[in-house]
Amino acid sequence: MALKLKGDIEIHDVPSSKAKALKINLNKYIYGTFAEIGAGQETVRHFFRSGGASGTIAKAMSAYDKHFSDAIYGIEEDERYVTQERLKKMLHHEIKLIEDRLNRKDHHGKVFFSYANTVTTIDFAKKFKGHGWVGLKFQLDPLEDYNEIILHVRFKETDVKLQQETLGVLGVNLIYGAFYLNNKPKELLKSLYDNLHEVQLEIDMINFSGPRFSYVDNRLMSLLLVKNGMTNAVMFGPDGNNLLPAQQLYKANILVLRGSFRPVTKVNMNMLKLAEQLFINEKKVKKDNTKIIFEITLTNLISQGKIDERDFLGRAELLCSLGQNVMISNYQEYYKLVEYLSEFTKERIGLAMGVNNFVQIFDEKYYRNLSGGILEAFGKLFFKDLKVYLYPLKDRSTGEIKTSENLMVHPRMKELYKFFKYNGKVVDIKDYNPDILGVYSKTVLEMISNGENGWEEMLPNGIPEIIKEERLFGYSKIKFENLK
């Protein structure tokens, strides 16, 4: 062991892919199969090369031909191969085979696993960089049910061989993490990038399930993907499970409501309801092809200089209880969000926002990093088929209602604003409820923390009960009992 010198900084040693594979190979109880489609047998190669693989690898295969793959796993309804459904079929099929073919008495104490991936690498024209699904179904005790980790990756490298090698390292990290870091899911998540870098691949979805992960909230794992720089945006549904944005938003009409939702108020829901009506009434929008998203930026999640995970889960719980899809993004500027959504659809995109937030878009300080300044940002924002649905603002001092007709932007921005206004890019929400214009999340939070009455009336039905039951946002049951 090397000496420690005064002034040394503790450095976390990351095992090499070979060391990880060797440790698993030398464990006499870990035993399983590898099924890899689309990029060769890149993961299992590490286990073969590290040595001692005979006691670990039951089978390794690559059902590369589509017809042969269909004969093994069946044909998908959409006839696609790089899908989550395909991956799950592969995992289930391979585990069933190993259970059927091996007698537990002859393999006493062994824990079985099945690793699978189905990917498509960069195309010949190098326009589509490729993506894939990677998963592991595994036991940690022979008498326990199986656990499962499923993730989606997007390749960033522009060479097939490099992408294959990256996929192999990722697979080793996943298997190693599942067996040796399953009690620390946050560290497991970070370890997926061991011996890799964010410039090589993006992980934009991950779900944990099974007895050892019963306490894991996949929404928090989703947040950590963005926080750790593994991706710029993630989504989760009302059931709390993470969703793949590319799959959910593909060729869809998208309406986004951005906010802190701390907590979600009647104003938020009224804004969404009225904006949705206007959006669906557009000729280019089909109701059954419309996706509604409540979007929270990473900046909006930072409280007192850091992200409060309990606070985030509180907001997520409230939005999920309302049956909403939630997106967490690292896109502070609206034009970046629209650019991201435009990767998946060419259909109409709508932004529902209040006057105050809309006016901030015209502040030049947010675009100093762009060579083209605010003009470049607005070109990216409004070049696509986008409309802004504007919710009015009630001036606290004068009581005046601010709309697109009388809002104030910087004098230098007036003509730019008029251009978008008169070209129909900005639409006023008119049938609003004037009685709730004075409702602000900040006010509700202050009332909750101070133990005041009356905040319940500012929130949608059912939300106050969840806040009290879960004691969210500083709610204290004792405070309210003292008021009775």
Side-chain angles (χ1 to χ4, degrees), residues 36-258:
E36 305 182 66
I37 297 179
Q41 295 180 284
E42 293 302 316
T43 299
V44 76
R45 179 170 59 87
H46 286 276
F47 290 86
F48 280 127
R49 288 185 173 182
S50 66
S54 59
T56 299
I57 303 172
K59 181 183 75 172
M61 64 174 292
S62 178
Y64 195 82
D65 179 74
K66 293 180 180 180
H67 300 291
F68 198 80
S69 181
D70 288 342
I72 299 172
Y73 304 115
I75 302 174
E76 303 299 322
E77 289 185 11
D78 57 8
E79 297 185 349
R80 295 166 64 200
Y81 293 86
V82 186
T83 65
Q84 184 176 7
E85 290 71 25
R86 188 65 165 193
L87 179 74
K88 286 188 173 183
K89 278 186 180 180
M90 294 169 69
L91 292 172
H92 176 77
H93 178 85
E94 298 301 335
I95 282 294
K96 188 175 185 302
L97 279 183
I98 197 171
E99 289 279 7
D100 290 344
R101 292 176 177 177
L102 295 182
N103 190 324
R104 282 283 185 180
K105 292 181 181 179
D106 298 332
H107 297 274
H108 180 71
K110 285 196 174 180
V111 289
F112 296 150
F113 74 88
S114 175
Y115 168 83
N117 66 50
T118 173
V119 305
T120 176
T121 51
I122 192 167
D123 63 354
F124 183 76
K126 297 189 183 296
K127 291 183 178 180
F128 178 70
K129 290 187 179 180
H131 72 108
W133 290 90
V134 181
L136 184 73
K137 204 174 184 74
F138 66 104
Q139 293 177 305
L140 290 168
D141 187 285
L143 300 178
E144 273 188 6
D145 198 2
Y146 285 88
N147 305 285
E148 195 172 83
I149 305 175
I150 288 178
L151 57 96
H152 181 265
V153 301
R154 298 171 74 183
F155 297 112
K156 294 184 178 180
E157 293 164 312
T158 56
D159 180 82
V160 174
K161 185 179 179 181
L162 292 177
Q163 290 184 356
Q164 290 173 334
E165 291 174 353
T166 294
L167 179 65
V169 174
L170 175 67
V172 173
N173 290 340
L174 174 61
I175 297 170
Y176 182 88
F179 283 107
Y180 293 105
L181 295 172
N182 58 78
N183 63 328
K184 300 175 181 178
K186 292 181 184 178
E187 289 188 25
L188 193 163
L189 193 69
K190 286 184 178 180
S191 76
L192 295 176
Y193 275 85
D194 284 356
N195 306 302
L196 293 172
H197 195 276
E198 287 88 345
V199 298
Q200 293 174 271
L201 84 163
E202 173 185 348
I203 300 176
D204 55 0
M205 199 216 80
I206 190 166
N207 274 318
F208 295 80
S209 60
R212 293 299 177 102
F213 299 127
S214 58
Y215 66 95
V216 173
D217 193 312
N218 282 311
R219 296 170 299 190
L220 180 56
M221 294 298 105
S222 197
L223 168 65
L224 293 176
L225 286 177
V226 181
K227 181 183 176 182
N228 295 340
M230 298 176 176
T231 187
N232 285 312
V234 290
M235 281 182 69
F236 54 84
D239 61 359
N241 279 325
N242 294 331
L243 305 171
L244 181 63
Q247 187 174 304
Q248 295 295 313
L249 306 178
Y250 183 65
K251 292 185 178 181
N253 300 118
I254 306 169
L255 178 62
V256 181
L257 176 63
R258 169 177 283 186

Side-chain angles (χ1 to χ4, degrees), residues 397-411:
S397 56
T398 65
E400 182 184 11
I401 304 298
K402 299 284 188 179
T403 68
S404 68
E405 300 295 336
N406 60 349
L407 61 80
M408 298 292 292
V409 297
H410 193 281

